[in-house]
Amino acid sequence: MSDIITFTDKIYENKIELNSHNSDRTIHELENMVTDIMIEIGVPAHVKGYCYLRTAIMLTVQRPDLIYAMTKELYPAIGDIYLTTAQRVERAIRHAIELAWDNGDMEILARYFSYRIRKSSDKPTNSEFIATLSDKIRVSRNLQ
């Protein structure tokens, strides 16, 4: 048996239930969509927060209620998936967002976060970042 556990296996293993209409194919398509957006925005792929953020967005696309339970459910679930703590997940996500905000293209960031582009230091919170991207993806995929 392989030591590699797929993303979907880890989700089910950690009792994060996704909508029943999702197949491995649609989850793979979602992962590609989230990855493309994160690269476009400028989230650096070499930081731990990149993986945590991608997972958080994917989970909240599938389960929007997780946006209202970030510290109680979302961060601990991601921590379980990646064998770390909820506090480290939160901090790594915040760091990844800071890097994207400080180094990313403001025109691209404005397409996603137009309400936040008053000054470059006015970065979104983890919750705002995750909620905004997951909502845009959900709307574009007609999952609302």
Side-chain angles (χ1 to χ4, degrees):
M1 185 163 151
S2 174
D3 288 5
I4 299 173
I5 300 174
T6 67
F7 175 74
T8 51
D9 291 338
K10 286 188 176 198
I11 289 173
Y12 293 120
E13 191 177 279
N14 286 285
K15 298 182 175 71
I16 302 170
E17 295 185 22
L18 300 176
N19 296 333
S20 60
H21 69 276
N22 291 306
S23 66
D24 286 341
R25 182 173 162 260
T26 58
I27 290 174
H28 182 68
E29 289 170 358
L30 173 60
E31 187 171 23
N32 287 337
M33 181 181 278
V34 172
T35 299
D36 290 346
I37 290 170
M38 289 178 54
I39 289 169
E40 180 183 24
I41 287 175
V43 179
H46 70 281
V47 297
K48 286 182 183 179
Y50 176 89
C51 292
Y52 303 161
L53 188 55
R54 182 176 59 197
T55 302
I57 294 167
M58 289 179 63
L59 291 174
T60 55
V61 166
Q62 301 301 319
R63 287 215 19 226
D65 60 297
L66 289 173
I67 290 168
Y68 306 108
M70 301 282 280
T71 56
K72 298 271 186 197
E73 291 184 50
L74 185 61
Y75 295 155
I78 294 168
D80 289 345
I81 292 169
Y82 292 98
L83 305 175
T84 190
T85 66
Q87 293 80 12
R88 289 179 180 164
V89 169
E90 186 275 332
R91 175 63 185 111
I93 288 175
R94 187 165 13 102
H95 178 67
I97 292 169
E98 286 171 4
L99 289 173
W101 210 256
D102 292 342
N103 303 318
D105 182 338
M106 279 299 161
E107 286 183 30
I108 293 171
L109 289 167
R111 281 203 332 246
Y112 292 96
F113 305 97
S114 57
Y115 63 95
R116 278 285 185 189
I117 307 291
R118 288 184 280 281
K119 55 184 179 183
S120 63
S121 63
D122 195 17
K123 72 175 181 63
T125 64
N126 289 8
S127 298
E128 289 174 318
F129 192 93
I130 293 166
T132 299
L133 293 184
S134 67
D135 186 55
K136 286 184 182 284
I137 292 167
R138 199 171 28 262
V139 167
S140 75
R141 296 179 81 213
N142 297 319
L143 291 177
Q144 267 193 335

